Amino acid sequence: MSDQYVKVQVEQMKSFGEDAEKEGVDTEEQVPGSSPSASVSPDHPTSTDASSTSLPCKQTGKSRSKPGREDKRHTSDVASQGSVVSSEKNLNRLGYERTLQVKGTGKILQRKSEPNGNYVTIHTSKNIEEMRREEGFKLAKKRRPVTVDTSKAKTSLEALKISIKQLKWKEFPLGRRTACDIYWHGVSFHDNENIVSGQVNKFPGMIEMLRKINLSRAVRTMQELFPEEYDFYPRSWILPEEYQQFTTQIHMVKEKDATVNPTFIVKPDGGSQGDGIYLIRDPSDLKLMTGSQAKQGVVQEYIQKPLLIDKLKFDIRLYVLIKSLEPLEIYIAKEGLTRFCTELYQEPSQKNLSHVFMHLTNYSLNVHSGNFVHSDSQSTGSKRTLSSVLYRLAAKGVDIKRVWSDIIALVIKTVIAVVPELRVYYQADIPPGKPGPTCFQILGFDILLMKNLKPVLLEVNSNPSMRIEHEQEVAPGVFEYVPSPVDEEVKVGVIRDTLRLMDPGHKKPTPLDWLSAEKCNHHQDETGTLPSLCLKQVYPKYSKQFNYLRLVERIAALFIRFLGVKGNMRLGPTAFRTFIRTCKLSGSNFTMASVDILYIDITRRWSGATPDSREAGMGLQAFVEAFFYLAARRFKSLALREQVVSLLELCESQLGPQSGVEERRSLSCSRALPRTVKTQAPCLANPQLSSPAPLRRAASQDYRHQRFKPRSLRANVEN
């Protein structure tokens, strides 16, 4: 290489840099021979054009015989249209093309390197969006279509078919001999027992976990640890187990104040669509028996002052996607449904307790009312979109952002409450190392807004209806299904975008992506024909605000570690003793004999509380009770939450870093408590009415001496 050539190259580089500074060109583009530190990292593009995404860039140049001229001319042209933004690596290999994106014009310029080291302008490309769409169509043609087994879809089939058609995927309505990418079940994970790969739209154990009793127990445990955070769930008593406690407390309230006459709603444990729900004002009205068998269910305090629209009570059906358990990913649909009662609301009295069309918002009940209005409009009728209701409230001056924020918090906290037990079910059906599918699931959250706009959780449905048509009487006694535009608008979007998120062809986001609010909700449509996602990620996007609540998950991690046998869901006496020894929790004041007594007592009572349990031993809920007792015994001077945190730290330090289901890097307990722990019972609508003691007591003398004080569960059902 001659000295003159080197000199020319240096002058050319200087010329390009000077003109770029004058005209507004990004001088951080790396040309051959420039310092590597001047290049832009591909992971952090410098584009400030909010309307487009930086594309792989190509750089320009002309011939060696006219050093600097062509670069000056071309740089000036670019600068006259706007600033240039670029980012890419390995720019100085031969034949590499770069794209210069012109800010404000929607256009890009391309250049290509020659073997002699110079750059030649190729052409001015089309609009960025047009180019992206063309590339998306080419990529979509190259990819094989995603396969979906819909043979078990049942009532969600029509919405699912529409979604698959919009995505241009391939449906197998009768199943397939070879494996599919996605299996869509109508009821449970076990609809098809022969799946060893792919993705299933149900989690094992979700049906059991979201029954009224198990959900109440899970939330009650969290209320013990975080009473102020879990005040969105009404006070509940489990039947028939806590019938005596419920009766005693009601009589005590009425004796103290004869004017207090609370109303309660009774829900069967496995009920759905409003079946078996009724209101009472006296414990004697409870229907405890079905033939010779006791009815399993819950009785909850009734919310007497709901928010009304058009003088009608309504609730919100919100669709929530749990994309994965490990790591935990939660999405919330931006659009939902509101279901209205069909009789004008009045506060409950002995005369109107039986008026189900006034007090119960279930669609399956109100659709049989003569006042039910089927409407093609999203803002009228007995079923409307959530957005139409929020717009109406906003017009009255309601802070909708605050309401939506409270709803998001309610959803995240509820999922955190049920995840520990779900992990136990998951490892039992799909043990680590065993071939099996991954899971995701759409849940239906039923939420009531109180008069003060506070959201209250009514229940969570593991199999929310995805039907997009409704039954209509077209002639006396003749019914047929007709399309429901409101249902189709909401439900098709939820299913379609759930499938888009679960597309096996898309790269999974990394933890670094989750730190960005833009990236965590970004999902590029390759063809450019689909709307933006209607599902918004809320976790781990907001994990920093809620990670400190995941204490019971850490207890579940200890429980799973000591289960031993794959597929087991209950801890045997030997495993419980191993847990005590390994964590060094026994001593002269707490012998192994005391450990055995504690295990026997707690296990016996929990087996009585769950008569349908198929396995013998200590389940997770019983283990959590034992853990709380051990924490209170070990750290007597602390409040309950601090006791549990301290014992967790002790056990995890004894077991090493692998004791958790996942690394607890963000759950340092000392940092997890943002506020001082209050032991005072929170405010209640009726202060005299305390809920059942969440912690059971073992029969051993040693155990009775360490009793916890019953803690009232905050319901906050005032205005």
Side-chain angles (χ1 to χ4, degrees):
M1 185 181 296
S2 65
D3 295 340
Q4 182 175 358
Y5 175 76
V6 174
K7 183 177 180 180
V8 168
Q9 288 289 318
V10 172
E11 290 177 354
Q12 181 178 352
M13 291 162 54
K14 289 182 179 179
S15 174
F16 182 85
E18 291 171 0
D19 287 337
E21 291 179 0
K22 292 179 182 179
E23 303 296 340
V25 178
D26 189 349
T27 58
E28 289 188 349
E29 287 184 10
Q30 182 176 334
V31 296
S34 66
S35 170
S37 63
S39 65
V40 181
S41 168
D43 295 328
H44 301 281
T46 59
S47 173
T48 57
D49 186 0
S51 64
S52 62
T53 305
S54 297
L55 299 174
C57 297
K58 306 175 183 179
Q59 201 176 16
T60 65
K62 192 65 179 172
S63 69
R64 187 191 306 173
S65 60
K66 298 179 181 180
R69 294 183 183 179
E70 189 64 32
D71 280 322
K72 288 182 180 181
R73 190 183 306 114
H74 190 76
T75 304
S76 178
D77 292 341
V78 173
S80 66
Q81 301 179 62
S83 61
V84 178
V85 185
S86 67
S87 61
E88 193 54 73
K89 52 187 177 182
N90 299 328
L91 303 181
N92 48 359
R93 70 171 183 260
L94 295 180
Y96 186 82
E97 297 183 5
R98 293 198 67 186
T99 299
L100 299 182
Q101 179 179 323
V102 184
K103 179 182 177 183
T105 66
K107 296 183 178 181
I108 52 179
L109 304 177
Q110 296 177 326
R111 297 182 178 187
K112 184 175 183 179
S113 63
E114 291 184 331
N116 59 12
N118 291 332
Y119 291 80
V120 179
T121 301
I122 300 175
H123 66 279
T124 301
S125 75
K126 301 177 182 179
N127 183 278
I128 295 175
E129 294 299 329
E130 294 178 2
M131 183 175 182
R132 183 185 299 160
R133 187 174 290 109
E134 290 178 2
E135 291 177 352
F137 277 119
K138 292 178 182 178
L139 182 60
K141 288 180 180 179
K142 292 180 181 178
R143 286 184 52 193
R144 72 169 182 83
V146 178
T147 56
V148 184
D149 183 334
T150 63
S151 60
K152 306 291 184 179
K154 296 190 176 180
T155 58
S156 60
L157 185 58
E158 290 304 316
L160 183 59
K161 284 179 177 291
I162 294 174
S163 301
I164 293 173
K165 186 176 181 180
Q166 291 178 357
L167 295 171
K168 297 180 174 59
W169 289 4
K170 193 168 184 179
E171 178 193 1
F172 288 87
L174 301 178
R176 188 188 189 195
R177 289 185 177 180
T178 57
C180 284
D181 296 308
I182 294 175
Y183 296 84
W184 198 275
H185 291 179
V187 179
S188 77
F189 173 80
H190 297 286
D191 285 356
N192 187 341
E193 299 283 2
N194 301 316
I195 302 173
V196 295
S197 64
Q199 302 175 98
V200 181
N201 73 315
K202 302 292 181 184
F203 280 99
M206 186 68 81
I207 292 178
E208 293 80 2
M209 196 57 229
L210 294 183
R211 289 180 181 271
K212 309 296 189 300
I213 290 178
N214 283 335
L215 178 62
S216 296
R217 282 179 173 146
V219 175
R220 182 184 292 180
T221 299
M222 299 303 293
Q223 286 175 327
E224 278 296 293
L225 293 169
F226 307 97
E228 294 182 355
E229 301 289 354
Y230 282 83
D231 62 351
F232 56 79
Y233 193 68
R235 287 173 294 177
S236 305
W237 292 262
I238 296 169
L239 299 175
E241 177 186 344
E242 295 169 352
Y243 169 74
Q244 195 58 49
Q245 297 176 15
F246 172 66
T247 302
T248 302
Q249 291 175 8
I250 299 301
H251 289 325
M252 289 177 60
V253 168
K254 292 183 177 181
E255 287 176 2
K256 290 182 179 180
D257 188 348
T259 62
V260 175
N261 196 14
T263 303
F264 300 91
I265 184 168
V266 184
K267 303 177 182 179
D269 183 37
S272 61
Q273 300 181 338
D275 183 39
I277 298 178
Y278 59 97
L279 273 59
I280 63 170
R281 307 198 84 178
D282 191 273
S284 62
D285 296 330
L286 279 171
K287 304 168 186 176
L288 294 176
M289 303 297 292
T290 302
S292 59
Q293 293 184 341
K295 284 186 176 180
Q296 299 283 325
V298 296
V299 55
Q300 296 179 325
E301 187 170 14
Y302 181 78
I303 309 301
Q304 301 194 47
K305 296 185 180 297
L307 179 68
L308 304 179
I309 290 183
D310 299 330
K311 298 182 180 180
L312 297 171
K313 180 180 177 180
F314 70 95
D315 75 347
I316 297 169
R317 165 59 61 86
L318 193 63
Y319 296 97
V320 174
L321 168 67
I322 300 184
K323 187 172 180 283
S324 72
L325 282 184
E326 182 60 41
L328 181 60
E329 291 186 64
I330 308 170
Y331 288 77
I332 294 181
K334 300 175 185 177
E335 184 65 284
L337 297 171
T338 52
R339 292 95 54 90
F340 283 76
C341 288
T342 50
E343 186 176 338
L344 298 182
Y345 181 77
Q346 299 174 5
E347 288 196 18
S349 64
Q350 200 62 42
K351 293 181 179 180
N352 64 30
L353 285 183
S354 60
H355 293 204
V356 293
F357 298 147
M358 175 189 295
H359 297 294
L360 303 184
T361 55
N362 304 74
Y363 164 80
S364 54
L365 292 177
N366 283 278
V367 72
H368 298 294
S369 167
N371 297 326
F372 191 92
V373 178
H374 290 288
S375 175
D376 291 342
S377 170
Q378 297 183 7
S379 56
T380 60
S382 297
K383 184 186 286 188
R384 312 174 193 178
T385 60
L386 173 59
S387 59
S388 69
V389 170
L390 294 180
Y391 283 136
R392 183 165 176 177
L393 295 177
K396 296 182 178 181
V398 172
D399 186 352
I400 297 304
K401 289 185 177 180
R402 176 64 181 273
V403 172
W404 191 242
S405 176
D406 290 343
I407 291 175
I408 290 175
L410 179 153
V411 168
I412 294 175
K413 292 172 184 177
T414 303
V415 173
I416 287 176
V418 302
V419 158
E421 191 108 18
L422 280 179
R423 290 192 185 278
V424 177
Y425 278 101
Y426 196 88
Q427 65 82 34
D429 279 281
I430 312 175
K434 176 183 175 182
T438 56
C439 302
F440 64 97
Q441 189 156 349
I442 298 171
L443 305 177
F445 276 66
D446 291 346
I447 298 170
L448 182 74
L449 289 180
M450 295 171 58
K451 192 174 182 179
N452 61 1
L453 300 176
K454 177 183 176 62
V456 174
L457 178 65
L458 300 180
E459 62 179 312
V460 184
N461 296 272
S462 59
N463 292 310
S465 172
M466 286 296 176
R467 191 183 291 277
I468 57 175
E469 63 278 337
H470 62 82
E471 195 177 55
Q472 185 172 338
E473 189 174 13
V474 293
V478 180
F479 295 86
E480 69 177 8
Y481 283 103
V482 297
S484 171
V486 176
D487 285 293
E488 183 171 342
E489 172 70 22
V490 175
K491 296 174 182 178
V492 170
V494 170
I495 292 179
R496 180 194 64 230
D497 291 347
T498 294
L499 292 174
R500 290 167 70 184
L501 286 169
M502 303 311 301
D503 183 351
H506 283 124
K507 181 181 177 182
K508 293 183 179 180
T510 65
L512 291 178
D513 293 333
W514 291 334
L515 299 178
S516 167
E518 295 179 357
K519 289 184 179 180
C520 69
N521 284 319
H522 176 71
H523 190 277
Q524 181 62 45
D525 170 29
E526 294 171 349
T527 64
T529 59
L530 296 174
S532 60
L533 282 176
C534 71
L535 296 170
K536 173 185 178 181
Q537 190 194 81
V538 296
Y539 197 94
K541 180 179 179 182
Y542 301 124
S543 59
K544 290 183 179 179
Q545 294 95 308
F546 298 98
N547 262 352
Y548 73 98
L549 298 173
R550 300 177 71 176
L551 293 183
V552 181
E553 274 188 77
R554 295 167 65 187
I555 299 176
L558 297 175
F559 177 79
I560 292 172
R561 176 159 182 164
F562 286 94
L563 281 176
V565 181
K566 288 185 178 180
N568 193 12
M569 292 182 59
R570 294 186 177 267
L571 210 63
T574 302
F576 187 71
R577 288 169 65 95
T578 303
F579 159 70
I580 296 293
R581 284 200 190 98
T582 306
C583 295
K584 299 180 180 179
L585 302 181
S586 61
S588 58
N589 294 328
F590 189 57
T591 64
M592 295 308 295
S594 299
V595 171
D596 292 338
I597 293 173
L598 175 64
Y599 174 87
I600 293 170
D601 185 79
I602 292 180
T603 303
R604 181 184 298 152
R605 284 184 295 98
W606 274 97
S607 62
T610 54
D612 57 342
S613 58
R614 300 176 182 177
E615 300 179 32
M618 177 180 282
L620 177 61
Q621 293 174 338
F623 181 78
V624 169
E625 180 188 331
F627 195 89
F628 282 12
Y629 164 71
L630 294 169
R633 180 184 179 84
R634 186 100 179 187
F635 305 98
K636 299 178 182 179
S637 62
L638 302 178
L640 175 61
R641 191 194 316 180
E642 293 171 330
Q643 290 171 347
V644 172
V645 166
S646 300
L647 186 59
L648 276 169
E649 289 179 333
L650 175 62
C651 293
E652 289 169 347
S653 65
Q654 297 293 336
L655 293 171
Q658 299 300 320
S659 62
V661 177
E662 61 184 35
E663 290 294 324
R664 313 314 308 183
R665 46 191 177 275
S666 59
L667 278 178
S668 174
C669 301
S670 59
R671 298 192 299 271
L673 305 177
R675 59 172 70 92
T676 57
V677 179
K678 298 181 180 180
T679 58
Q680 181 181 0
C683 297
L684 298 169
N686 297 315
Q688 311 98 316
L689 187 59
S690 60
S691 61
L695 297 179
R696 302 163 178 271
R697 295 157 176 79
S700 69
Q701 185 67 26
D702 185 44
Y703 187 70
R704 287 198 297 269
H705 283 306
Q706 297 295 334
R707 290 184 177 182
F708 303 125
K709 294 181 179 180
R711 296 169 181 268
S712 300
L713 307 184
R714 182 184 179 199
N716 191 14
V717 292
E718 298 173 329
N719 288 345

